[in-house]
Amino acid sequence: MEILSNLFNVALLVATIRTTTPILLVALGGSFTTKAGIFNIGLEGQMLIAAFFAVVGSIWTGSSLGGMVIGVSAALVFALIYAVLVVSFRANEVVVGLALNILAGGMTVSLLKAIFGTRGSVVGRGIVGLPKVQIPGARDLLGPSTAQLISGYTPLVYVAFLAVLLMILFYNRTRLGLYIRVVGEKPEAAEALGISIARIRYTAALLCGLLAGLAGAHMSLGYITMFTENMSSGRGFMAVAILIFSGGDPLKVLAGCLLFGFADAFSLRLQTFGFPSYLVLAVPYAVALVALFALSWRARPKRIRETVETIRRALSVHPSREAGRDAPLPRS
Amino acid sequence: MTNRLLFRGLFSKGLARTLAGQALAFAIALALGAVIILMIEESPVAVLMTLMRGAFGDAEKIAGTLLQTTPILICGIAACIALRGGMFNVGIEGQLFLGGFAAAWVGFAFALPPVLHVLAAMTLAVVAGALWIAIPAFFRVRFGTNEVVSTILANYIATLLTSYFTIFLFKRPGGWSETPPILTSAYLPELFSFSRLNIGLLIGLALAVGVAAFFRWTSAGYAVTMVGSAPKFAEYGGVSVRRVGFGVLLVSGAVGGLAGGVETLGVHHRFMEGFAPGFGFDGLIAALLANGSPIGTIFTALFFGALRAGSLLLEVDTTASREIITVIQALIILAVSADLMMRRRGDRTGERRWKF
Amino acid sequence: AEKVHIAAISGYFAQGFGISIVNGLNKAKDDFGIDLKLVDTGNRALDYEEQFANLAKSGQYDLIFVMGWELVDALQKVGAQYPNQRFVFIDGVLDAKTMVYANFAEEQGSFIAGALAGLVEDMGPEFDKISDGKAIGFVGGRDIPVIRNFLGGYEQGAKYAAPDVKVNSVFAGTFDDPAKGSELAMALYGQGADIVYNVAGPTGEGVMQASAAADKYSLGVDIDMCSSAPGNVLASMLKRGDVAVYAIIKDEVEGRKVMPGTRTFDLASGGVEVKVCDDVAAKLPAAIKDKLEAIRTDVIAGKIQIARAK
Amino acid sequence: MDLAVDLSGITKRFGAFTANDGIDLAVRRGEIHAIIGENGAGKTTLMNILFGLLQPDAGTISIGGKTMLVDSPAVAINEGLGMVHQHFKLVPSLTVADNIFLGMEIRRNGLIDRAAQVERTRSLSEKFGLRVDPQERVAGLSVGIEQRIEILKVLARNARTIILDEPTAVLTPQESRDLFQTLRSFVDDGMTVIFISHHLEEVMAVSDTVTVLRDGRVVATKPKSALTKRELVRLMVGRDVSFDRRPRTRTDGAVALEVNDLWARDDRRLTALKSVDLTVRAGEIVGIAGVAGNGQTELAEVLSGLRPASHGSAKLHGHDILDRTPAEIRNRGLAHVPGDRMVRGVDRNASLSANMLMGRQTKRPFARLGVIDWSAVHGTMRALIERFDIRARGPKDPARSLSGGNIQKVVLAREFTAGGDVLLIDQPTRGVDIGAQEAIHDEIMRQRADGRAILLISTQLDELKALADRILVMFDGGIMGEVDGAAMDEDAIGLMMAGIDPADMTEAS
Ligand SMILES: Nc1ncnc2c1ncn2[C@@H]1O[C@H](COP(=O)(O)OP(=O)(O)OP(=O)(O)O)[C@@H](O)[C@H]1O
Ligand SMILES: Nc1ncnc2c1ncn2[C@@H]1O[C@H](COP(=O)(O)OP(=O)(O)OP(=O)(O)O)[C@@H](O)[C@H]1O
Ligand SMILES: [Mg+2]
Ligand SMILES: [Mg+2]
């Protein structure tokens, strides 16, 4: 019992929110490109380059906001390169994405050396992290332990979750959102109405860069306050995985990210019960994989419905031909 | 009539354009690279010369280049096989690790006569790679589960799993995070006395030629190609699209496992944590740049191998660091992928070869 | 005298211990005017041998410092091919007689860190920010033998000083993910640990920042990390790579040619030590300080035997 | 003269190929102007240029008297032009209203005002008598309704000139009639209609003026009243073409294909075949008539093993084929010319030889022990190019470099030489020009004379009339009835195609 309460508590939920946020931000970014019909495996690189420049910017400007702006700008530059190559030059998306990831890795380390004279990480040195937002009254209303659930995160955590709602609205109720969906789903329809496919895809790629940039800035100024090489640590790839099986729908993206974030936070806690670290560390990936398989299984409700129908029919009396005219006998 | 002329014209013009485009792309990448090199206060010419010397300077260096080429080539072939069948195996990295571990296990846990030992270890490496992709492959052909996602996820698990095996179950006492060394009977023969270059390279080349010939000359290869480029047509023609798809992924995984086996038995002679990171992705990029052609992959893999080998000397002989090489490498890949002249015309009908 | 040429090669110059080595090398460069070349191995085992050979073949380096266990096999092979090239392997001992080995007793330093943590934890709420949970934590980078050696010393030290304090240990599986380090530390704090020792390179920086966020304590490693989270860092276990390389280079520069053999850097020789952060030192009761000093003396004297992880 | 649209000297080249060659086209306000011509004559290209989807290499465009540069559909739409494309351009996941207002969304406070769009759609739909449910998703709607939506889309943009590219190809005769009534009412309201069609009857029935294109040039623009059907054909093809019934001798062979009470579902898992019974004997051609989408394709797919049946039986020479794979069925002697040749029939990017090899890649003389003998393959393909008069440079040409008609001949050549004695032919001449049609018909008759059992699916009654011994009419997945090919009554077939039993009609009247 004690073990259970040690495992499942508010702290776990709070941790889930923390672990979910960066993936959610970058995955929501990827939602734009996914919906616009281009595949962006380069999210990892956009996030990493933004994390780096956010730290640099924060030191230069002496403000976390300045850091965020500069970090996001760097991600936008990467997004623009991606768009030029993929949209205008029709380069293979996977090659471009992977190459941009490599580029981000190499550039951050080189620039780290050039700017800070060190390898690896920048800590301290006047980096200004994002402040924590205390929601007024949360403590009094909910009590100190539950209040943690909604209060005391850095701003981008709220932005990430709010963005889910905004993006639902965006896709359903705004013109640009609609065009992005149309361009991804049926480009000829857009073209025939004079909607420029290229322009929409560029916009989607840049919007993606914006959110991936925020995700990076969150990593290095919000989640923690430092930069270290390769600090995105596969979160961008995780986001790509979530995007492919969510099709970029904001709600499904949220669900996927929460699932992964929860599995991550949960598995970290499992380690303290003596499970071998390497196996426990694989849990989030295994959970994601199982969820993916389970979902594709479920994605055939009609088949299941049919099977159920078959069974039902097999059990009932043989129906007459007339009765079966519109719903024929399944072949036994 | 007009059509004939039209197409003859298009073809030759297209080829010339492609070549010119690639050359232009290359030049742009190098120019960008030169700017970066200038920024770190090195001479681009010196860097390029050192790079060339590091890759092809003498027999040893050439062997070093080929040593780097081997795993990229074999991983690239694994990627080519899947691409031909219309699929993406992004999980080569994981298959490489599992294959590497499996080969090591046979290598240290059993005492077998020389040739047999190698064969047994290689076989298990191949089986391990195939098994690792079997589940994603099954879900892909049966339920259409996207194999890009499932194989990416499987990579993480494979890496962690082999680390677990290595450190918790088979750690060499007193050693680094590695298994005991394999017995010498399981070593792949080396080609030259002065290098670790081994027959793995020949395996890779034979595989490339074999796979190319398979696709070009055999009925089964024809069926795979058709499933990859026109699945509905293949289905109509009596090819079992699911079975072929499953087989293709399995073989691709098996070759990924083989790459791991070659690295273990040929070079490292043991399995260690993080033993060959990134080769799977290098192989995938090499294969994509070669547009899925096994023979083309020999050259792209050689190109990557030379860059990697050259950068090792670069780091010693100049103040440029390996990251700079990474940056330049990425620029070259980007430029070449853009294929500058070919695709500039704004036609909207341009088909993509692979869908996600 | 002739200029001394030094090369140093490792995949870890970006992380705690590597940083301290680079510090030592740079200090030697400043003090003795040596020629210094740093080479990064990257993380591909395939590259190591060629990199050593490239360095050794140039013949221009008097000493080549090599750091990192994964380089050992490649080093032994290349070392045999270039018998005239002197290599210094940092952070371990092998049986070969051809090289210089700089061996660090990280288990001793970790033992003291563990003892300090145990003693502080044992005080309970008496000491600022300590609960009566009687638990401390450990966050490792990857679960590899070197890190296990730190953990072993830490656990033994804690048990020795405070038998009923429990040690919870976790591993991030990576040295590059401070966010994960922070999350792991949060989990440990959440489960009652008041002090968490990090041996995880940049991942460990996340642990330090988590201690500030949770307002608990952390223990730094390799270099002095007291400034990472002022007020929340208890102490740092210093693994003085800088001292080691500086000493070896000094010998070389001053004409005492460095020859194969093993040099041990332990608590006695100042190669490892625990630096209690100033603010903590000011608050720490004298009794605790005395106990800690007694333990230190016993370890140096060999009265306390610490098992090394294998 | 009051011209709605005036094109002059329009030239469009694709590479060295000239699709439009100095075309002049004047469309008077308030008329229905038909454009006809063979496949590839350049009709769609011309309309795409007018609509701003393509840019001409030479020539000028005037709309409503203003000469202008139409470099985007947006410009054309602005000038009161609307186009209903040959292939519909609707977004399946959006609702009807969203599709109609795509590109001209009604917005309030920057957000799309769904309610207003639905309201406008409803009023438009009432005003023009085109009934749709504004809130339904387009995915799953029938083509007839999709076309209504496309027309509403055009009307919502206040188009005064409507272009329709082959609007009736997918409609039932009744739906076509309704459509033309609607178009007529538009013209009565002062609008202008330009439509492209291959159906000469249709053109003769509804148009005011006809323009005929051949090889990218205008061969004639005449008022309908000055034309006959025969003249139109000659203008289109450049010679007389006969649609007469092919002479034949009656042969009564053994039953080769027998289908009993066959049921199946389509891709959307809706019932597509309902209790189909049929038999085909050696040496006869059994035609299947019906408007596209009434289960013909599914029938062909089930028989060739590409689609599972849900109930019933199908026997090939007495062997049950329902549980067999496509390969097994092929080996039993069934050859299949698929209706969707670009997707099922060929790999556009592969060479002609590779396309010909499909299905026989393991068989001698093309392969031995799993190794392909490409020289044998090329040799055979070369012979087929000769025999079937395929216009290609050689066996190594990629299929995509051939025109649609020639691609179709490649498919026919492959299937007719596959050694099967039962031929399942789905739409052999769809989109194929009249000259090639004749050649294909000759070949089909030759196969019949050779004693093959042929099941011929076609949406063109002319074709069935010329070829079939018996005709079965399909409607909504079932067989409505059978008529004798020699003495066929087009009216009866037309009624059955629309789902009406002619017997009922005669009783009622
Ligand atoms: N984008 C293009 N690139 C090259 N050739 C083209 C292109 N579009 C059309 N063509 C060619 O131009 C010619 C005219 O085509 P178009 O589509 O206008 O014919 P059509 O008269 O509409 O024929 P159909 O009756 O089959 O619709 C054809 O030979 C066609 O293949
Ligand atoms: N990408 C292209 N570039 C140049 N010419 C092309 C291209 N695509 C098609 N063509 C030309 O168009 C001609 C036929 O195209 P298409 O397939 O549209 O023929 P079609 O007779 O209109 O048949 P259908 O429309 O029924 O398929 C070919 O002869 C070819 O020369
Ligand atoms: Mg056409
Ligand atoms: Mg057309």
Side-chain angles (χ1 to χ4, degrees):
Chain A
M1 252 1 268
E2 204 205 316
I3 291 183
L4 282 184
S5 69
N6 248 336
L7 259 178
F8 297 98
N9 48 29
V10 174
L12 175 62
L13 295 180
V14 174
T16 300
I17 290 174
R18 279 196 308 255
T19 47
T20 301
T21 303
I23 309 177
L24 181 59
L25 273 172
V26 69
L28 286 176
S31 155
F32 291 115
T33 46
T34 307
K35 285 270 182 200
I38 42 182
F39 179 72
N40 192 352
I41 205 172
L43 293 174
E44 182 86 4
Q46 293 185 359
M47 199 170 161
L48 187 62
I49 201 83
F52 176 76
F53 276 98
V55 160
V56 173
S58 151
I59 297 174
W60 282 349
T61 62
S63 91
S64 54
L65 189 67
M68 228 165 74
V69 170
I70 292 179
V72 167
S73 313
L76 286 175
V77 171
F78 263 55
L80 188 65
I81 298 174
Y82 172 82
V84 169
L85 292 176
V86 170
V87 180
S88 298
F89 287 108
R90 295 177 186 282
N92 183 304
E93 293 133 295
V94 177
V95 174
V96 173
L98 288 176
L100 284 175
N101 287 342
I102 298 173
L103 186 66
M107 264 180 72
T108 48
V109 179
S110 311
L111 291 172
L112 201 65
K113 241 187 217 170
I115 299 175
F116 298 99
T118 62
R119 274 214 51 151
S121 20
V122 211
V123 205
R125 304 214 193 200
I127 306 174
V128 187
L130 291 160
K132 292 204 158 111
V133 179
Q134 301 295 344
I135 294 185
R139 253 183 126 73
D140 304 330
L141 269 174
L142 301 170
S145 125
T146 321
Q148 295 177 58
L149 260 179
I150 61 157
S151 177
Y153 301 102
T154 47
L156 289 175
V157 176
Y158 300 100
V159 169
F161 285 88
L162 210 62
V164 176
L165 295 177
L166 288 177
M167 281 178 66
I168 295 173
L169 191 70
F170 174 77
Y171 284 131
N172 284 309
R173 295 295 300 279
T174 70
R175 178 183 281 194
L176 180 59
L178 189 69
Y179 288 2
I180 286 179
R181 282 170 58 194
V182 170
V183 161
E185 188 180 336
K186 187 106 183 199
E188 352 24 320
E191 195 189 357
L193 293 170
I195 300 170
S196 158
I197 298 174
R199 193 171 330 146
I200 295 291
R201 290 204 164 138
Y202 265 87
T203 313
L206 289 176
L207 283 172
C208 168
L210 173 73
L211 283 193
L214 285 180
H218 174 68
M219 283 304 292
S220 64
L221 296 180
Y223 206 156
I224 34 153
T225 314
M226 67 180 290
F227 177 82
T228 189
E229 60 182 86
N230 192 27
M231 75 182 293
S232 43
S233 284
R235 287 175 179 85
F237 280 114
M238 230 11 254
V240 169
I242 289 169
L243 281 168
I244 292 181
F245 74 83
S246 66
D249 288 346
L251 266 185
K252 289 186 192 159
V253 167
L254 175 67
C257 293
L258 278 173
L259 175 73
F260 184 76
F262 178 80
D264 198 8
F266 181 71
S267 68
L268 294 180
R269 280 163 175 73
L270 273 187
Q271 262 199 63
T272 56
F273 295 97
F275 294 99
S277 64
Y278 286 101
L279 295 186
V280 169
L281 288 167
V283 165
Y285 305 107
V287 166
L289 201 54
V290 170
L292 174 66
F293 290 150
L295 278 179
S296 48
W297 196 299
R298 246 189 47 76
R300 336 219 104 208
K302 280 174 191 140
R303 185 172 293 275
I304 291 170
R305 213 186 304 143
E306 225 175 68
T307 315
V308 171
E309 191 184 319
T310 313
I311 296 168
R312 199 173 52 77
R313 276 170 180 280
L315 294 178
S316 71
V317 204
H318 216 76
S320 72
R321 202 127 143 233
E322 247 51 58
R325 181 118 190 134
D326 266 318
L329 283 174
R331 203 142 52 89
S332 43
Chain B
M1 254 327 288
T2 20
N3 288 342
R4 292 188 184 186
L5 288 175
L6 164 70
F7 272 88
R8 191 171 303 149
L10 252 190
F11 188 70
S12 53
K13 225 195 260 168
L15 197 68
R17 263 180 156 190
T18 311
L19 289 179
Q22 296 286 11
L24 181 67
F26 216 81
I28 290 178
L30 285 183
L32 275 175
V35 172
I36 293 175
I37 293 166
L38 283 172
M39 277 179 0
I40 56 161
E41 289 163 8
E42 269 282 346
S43 139
V45 178
V47 166
L48 195 67
M49 292 308 288
T50 312
L51 208 52
M52 292 300 287
R53 207 153 42 79
F56 305 107
D58 53 41
E60 236 172 278
K61 295 279 189 255
I62 294 174
T65 293
L66 295 176
L67 184 67
Q68 297 276 353
T69 303
T70 305
I72 302 176
L73 173 60
I74 303 181
C75 290
I77 300 298
C80 281
I81 294 172
L83 289 174
R84 267 302 175 104
M87 280 170 294
F88 261 95
N89 176 5
V90 192
I92 300 171
E93 192 91 1
Q95 293 132 26
L96 176 87
F97 271 65
L98 276 165
F101 178 82
W105 181 66
V106 176
F108 67 73
F110 301 92
L112 294 171
V115 177
L116 193 67
H117 205 172
V118 171
L119 287 180
M122 281 298 192
T123 307
L124 198 69
V126 164
V127 169
L131 281 182
W132 192 244
I133 205 174
I135 298 174
F138 171 77
F139 275 89
R140 160 71 210 234
V141 298
R142 186 70 187 74
F143 296 106
T145 312
N146 187 298
E147 77 283 3
V148 177
V149 190
S150 55
T151 53
I152 285 184
L153 291 172
N155 277 343
Y156 290 101
I157 300 176
T159 315
L160 290 163
L161 199 64
T162 50
S163 290
Y164 171 74
F165 288 152
T166 306
I167 292 162
F168 283 80
L169 304 182
F170 298 104
K171 194 173 91 72
R172 167 183 168 190
W176 161 246
S177 313
E178 61 190 12
T179 64
I182 61 172
L183 306 179
T184 47
S185 55
Y187 282 23
L188 281 185
E190 289 183 352
L191 293 177
F192 307 106
S193 58
F194 55 82
S195 163
R196 289 177 291 165
L197 186 63
N198 53 73
I199 63 165
L201 175 70
L202 303 185
I203 296 178
L205 290 174
L207 207 58
V209 174
V211 168
F214 172 79
F215 286 129
R216 181 84 183 74
W217 298 110
T218 69
S219 308
Y222 169 82
V224 172
T225 308
M226 285 300 165
V227 166
S229 66
K232 294 238 157 173
F233 176 47
E235 183 192 20
Y236 149 87
V239 178
S240 168
V241 173
R242 282 184 179 174
R243 199 173 318 149
V244 167
F246 188 68
V248 162
L249 278 180
L250 228 53
V251 171
S252 172
V255 173
L258 178 79
V262 165
E263 284 306 280
T264 296
L265 304 185
V267 182
H268 302 305
H269 301 145
R270 67 201 192 282
F271 184 86
M272 60 277 200
E273 212 200 355
F275 100 128
F279 283 121
F281 282 104
D282 283 3
L284 181 64
I285 297 180
L288 283 171
L289 282 183
N291 209 20
S293 142
I295 301 296
T297 304
I298 296 178
F299 297 99
T300 48
L302 182 67
F303 173 62
F304 284 173
L307 263 180
R308 296 202 132 269
S311 71
L312 297 180
L313 185 67
L314 192 70
E315 207 171 352
V316 172
D317 274 13
T318 71
T319 53
S321 63
R322 63 188 303 112
E323 290 75 37
I324 295 294
I325 297 308
T326 317
V327 169
I328 294 172
Q329 190 175 341
L331 290 176
I332 292 177
I333 297 171
L334 285 177
V336 171
S337 78
D339 206 351
L340 293 170
M341 287 172 77
M342 260 310 270
R343 334 218 177 168
R344 195 163 40 209
R345 42 195 182 131
D347 77 310
R348 299 184 178 90
T349 49
E351 291 175 65
R352 282 219 192 81
R353 176 107 199 245
W354 292 290
K355 267 272 168 223
F356 304 95
Chain C
E2 235 178 65
K3 195 162 184 170
V4 173
H5 296 267
I6 303 284
I9 178 164
S10 169
Y12 291 121
F13 288 140
Q15 297 171 10
F17 184 52
I19 292 174
S20 98
I21 289 185
V22 173
N23 288 344
L25 291 167
N26 282 330
K27 185 160 184 282
K29 185 178 173 185
D30 292 344
D31 291 359
F32 309 127
I34 56 163
D35 175 63
L36 178 63
K37 172 90 204 169
L38 289 183
V39 178
D40 176 21
T41 58
N43 61 355
R44 281 189 180 178
L46 189 56
D47 298 349
Y48 304 155
E49 275 187 34
E50 265 80 8
Q51 286 175 309
F52 291 143
N54 279 339
L55 281 173
K57 204 190 284 175
S58 74
Q60 55 176 313
Y61 297 107
D62 298 293
L63 287 178
I64 299 175
F65 286 87
V66 179
M67 174 206 151
W69 259 106
E70 66 273 41
L71 303 177
V72 156
D73 288 87
L75 179 58
Q76 282 182 320
K77 244 178 111 176
V78 177
Q81 285 161 19
Y82 297 91
N84 295 329
Q85 174 69 56
R86 285 174 299 148
F87 288 99
V88 181
F89 185 71
I90 298 175
D91 212 14
V93 196
L94 285 174
D95 45 5
K97 296 278 170 281
T98 52
M99 268 177 244
V100 190
Y101 291 98
N103 184 30
F104 287 83
E106 61 261 349
E107 74 282 3
Q108 288 186 355
S110 297
F111 187 93
I112 304 297
L116 170 65
L119 289 171
V120 171
E121 182 65 37
D122 211 27
M123 289 166 69
E126 216 179 294
F127 195 79
D128 185 27
K129 297 172 195 164
I130 299 290
S131 70
D132 42 19
K134 303 267 180 230
I136 59 174
F138 174 94
V139 175
R142 293 211 304 263
D143 192 349
I144 51 177
V146 193
I147 308 291
R148 283 267 165 196
N149 205 28
F150 279 90
L151 173 59
Y154 181 65
E155 282 176 331
Q156 293 171 57
K159 278 271 164 322
Y160 181 87
D164 45 347
V165 165
K166 215 176 94 208
V167 181
N168 263 338
S169 58
V170 293
F171 293 87
T174 161
F175 287 102
D176 293 336
D177 192 347
K180 185 166 241 168
S182 139
E183 219 42 75
L184 281 166
M186 283 302 208
L188 289 171
Y189 292 132
Q191 290 174 2
D194 298 310
I195 303 165
V196 173
Y197 181 30
N198 91 79
V199 186
T203 299
E205 276 298 336
V207 176
M208 311 302 286
Q209 296 193 2
S211 69
D215 201 20
K216 300 277 187 178
Y217 289 112
S218 53
L219 286 162
V221 74
D222 293 331
I223 50 177
D224 186 348
M225 295 179 146
C226 292
S227 62
S228 283
N232 295 95
V233 187
L234 216 47
S236 293
M237 197 293 270
L238 307 184
K239 190 169 164 186
R240 301 297 302 265
D242 52 343
V243 169
V245 292
Y246 189 82
I248 292 169
I249 294 175
K250 185 162 195 257
D251 282 357
E252 181 76 17
V253 171
E254 291 174 353
R256 296 182 295 277
K257 204 164 181 225
V258 175
M259 292 315 275
T262 301
R263 297 193 180 200
T264 300
F265 297 87
D266 57 8
L267 215 45
S269 64
V272 292
E273 62 182 277
V274 170
K275 176 177 180 282
V276 179
C277 298
D278 296 337
D279 51 333
V280 174
K283 289 188 292 188
L284 214 55
I288 301 282
K289 284 188 192 163
D290 292 345
K291 266 191 210 162
L292 196 64
E293 189 49 38
I295 293 173
R296 201 179 103 87
T297 319
D298 285 352
V299 171
I300 291 175
K303 281 194 208 150
I304 297 175
Q305 285 297 319
I306 306 164
R308 275 185 78 100
K310 276 287 154 236
Chain D
M1 205 166 29
D2 188 11
L3 293 184
V5 167
D6 187 10
L7 300 176
S8 79
I10 298 290
T11 297
K12 176 70 186 174
R13 283 183 213 77
F14 294 110
F17 176 79
T18 307
N20 283 174
D21 192 357
I23 291 186
D24 298 324
L25 178 72
V27 180
R28 265 175 300 138
R29 199 180 297 285
E31 72 168 352
I32 297 185
H33 193 124
I35 298 179
I36 62 168
E38 286 182 278
N39 293 122
K43 308 178 291 287
T44 302
T45 305
L46 186 66
M47 291 303 113
N48 283 342
I49 289 172
L50 171 59
F51 199 59
L53 283 164
L54 288 173
Q55 296 313 303
D57 298 315
T60 57
I61 303 173
S62 310
I63 303 175
K66 277 187 289 178
T67 301
M68 62 181 64
L69 175 71
V70 187
D71 55 1
S72 147
V75 176
I77 291 169
N78 225 4
E79 294 302 323
L81 248 52
M83 182 156 172
V84 176
H85 298 269
Q86 192 168 359
H87 305 280
F88 296 153
K89 307 203 171 193
L90 298 173
V91 188
S93 76
L94 298 185
T95 62
V96 171
D98 282 347
N99 265 292
I100 289 175
F101 286 93
L102 187 62
M104 50 171 287
E105 296 75 14
I106 302 175
R107 292 190 298 174
R108 205 170 52 186
N109 306 325
L111 294 183
I112 296 170
D113 188 347
R114 283 260 144 66
Q117 293 193 358
V118 168
E119 207 31 64
R120 283 279 312 274
T121 305
R122 205 160 271 147
S123 65
L124 270 175
S125 142
E126 270 160 32
K127 180 174 161 201
F128 292 100
L130 295 164
R131 283 191 32 214
V132 292
D133 175 356
Q135 279 164 307
E136 217 170 345
R137 268 178 213 291
V138 165
L141 293 181
S142 73
V143 278
I145 302 209
E146 285 189 350
Q147 188 172 56
R148 257 181 239 165
I149 301 169
E150 285 284 10
I151 295 175
L152 282 172
K153 218 161 122 181
V154 166
L155 295 172
R157 286 166 173 73
N158 294 320
R160 302 300 298 161
T161 303
I162 303 183
I163 306 165
L164 299 109
D165 193 349
E166 297 197 27
T168 55
V170 290
L171 300 184
T172 61
Q174 276 72 18
E175 281 174 324
S176 301
R177 218 166 295 151
D178 291 348
L179 172 70
F180 287 121
Q181 224 151 49
T182 310
L183 295 182
R184 187 47 73 186
S185 73
F186 290 170
V187 173
D188 292 344
D189 286 350
M191 289 160 66
T192 310
V193 173
I194 304 175
F195 85 100
I196 295 175
S197 178
H198 286 295
H199 295 261
L200 304 182
E201 291 84 356
E202 218 168 79
V203 170
M204 295 305 287
V206 299
S207 61
D208 301 315
T209 310
V210 183
T211 293
V212 183
L213 295 190
R214 188 163 80 222
D215 290 340
R217 296 197 186 88
V218 175
V219 285
T221 296
K222 293 189 178 175
K224 181 201 45 196
S225 46
L227 282 165
T228 65
K229 206 175 132 186
R230 195 174 186 82
E231 230 174 310
L232 267 185
V233 174
R234 201 171 31 239
L235 285 170
M236 273 170 73
V237 187
R239 63 180 158 90
D240 278 321
V241 174
S242 100
F243 289 105
D244 296 342
R245 185 167 169 81
R246 299 301 171 111
R248 68 194 66 213
T249 49
R250 182 112 196 136
T251 51
D252 254 349
V255 171
L257 179 69
E258 189 173 12
V259 175
N260 268 312
D261 190 20
L262 189 67
W263 295 73
R265 295 167 193 269
D266 65 12
D267 287 337
R268 286 178 287 156
R269 315 230 116 235
L270 304 171
T271 303
L273 290 184
K274 295 176 184 166
S275 187
V276 171
D277 297 308
L278 60 87
T279 45
V280 187
R281 294 170 179 276
E284 81 168 337
I285 299 178
V286 175
I288 303 261
V291 176
N294 276 288
Q296 300 97 312
T297 304
E298 284 80 6
L299 175 63
E301 287 179 350
V302 169
L303 293 181
S304 55
L306 294 167
R307 179 178 294 279
S310 35
H311 182 73
S313 84
K315 292 199 166 77
L316 191 64
H317 301 306
H319 299 281
D320 200 335
I321 52 170
L322 283 192
D323 273 328
R324 304 280 153 226
T325 63
E328 285 166 333
I329 296 173
R330 277 182 172 273
N331 290 337
R332 282 230 176 279
L334 183 123
H336 175 198
V337 177
D340 191 352
R341 63 168 173 257
M342 286 305 178
V343 175
R344 286 266 192 221
V346 291
D347 177 354
R348 289 170 48 86
N349 293 315
S351 68
L352 297 185
S353 287
N355 274 296
M356 188 275 291
L357 186 60
M358 180 52 80
R360 54 187 82 163
Q361 66 269 23
T362 55
K363 301 206 176 93
R364 281 165 183 257
F366 306 109
R368 231 168 269 253
L369 302 171
V371 177
I372 296 173
D373 177 358
W374 280 103
S375 62
V377 178
H378 292 319
T380 305
M381 188 64 222
R382 210 167 286 124
L384 289 177
I385 289 176
E386 195 72 15
R387 177 175 154 201
F388 284 83
D389 188 27
I390 298 167
R391 303 287 163 82
R393 265 190 306 153
K396 291 180 189 170
D397 273 12
R400 74 176 118 70
S401 70
L402 270 57
S403 81
N406 282 304
I407 289 180
Q408 182 69 359
K409 285 196 213 162
V410 173
V411 177
L412 292 168
R414 179 183 64 223
E415 296 304 316
F416 286 176
T417 57
D421 46 14
V422 177
L423 302 179
L424 188 54
I425 308 176
D426 193 357
Q427 313 290 4
T429 58
R430 175 188 279 170
V432 169
D433 65 63
I434 293 172
Q437 266 179 32
E438 265 191 317
I440 290 171
H441 287 180
D442 290 346
E443 190 58 45
I444 292 174
M445 286 309 289
R446 246 196 307 281
Q447 297 295 327
R448 179 186 178 277
D450 287 351
R452 304 254 148 84
I454 299 172
L455 186 63
L456 174 68
I457 299 171
S458 177
T459 47
Q460 288 171 9
L461 287 184
D462 291 348
E463 182 163 81
L464 293 172
K465 191 175 172 184
L467 298 175
D469 295 300
R470 296 184 284 131
I471 299 172
L472 305 174
V473 185
M474 273 189 94
F475 174 75
D476 194 24
I479 305 279
M480 279 299 290
E482 179 177 332
V483 293
D484 188 327
M488 82 177 223
D489 171 358
E490 282 196 42
D491 287 343
I493 294 185
L495 285 172
M496 285 193 275
M497 282 169 72
I500 302 161
D501 193 332
D504 298 349
M505 285 297 281
T506 33
E507 265 165 44
S509 55

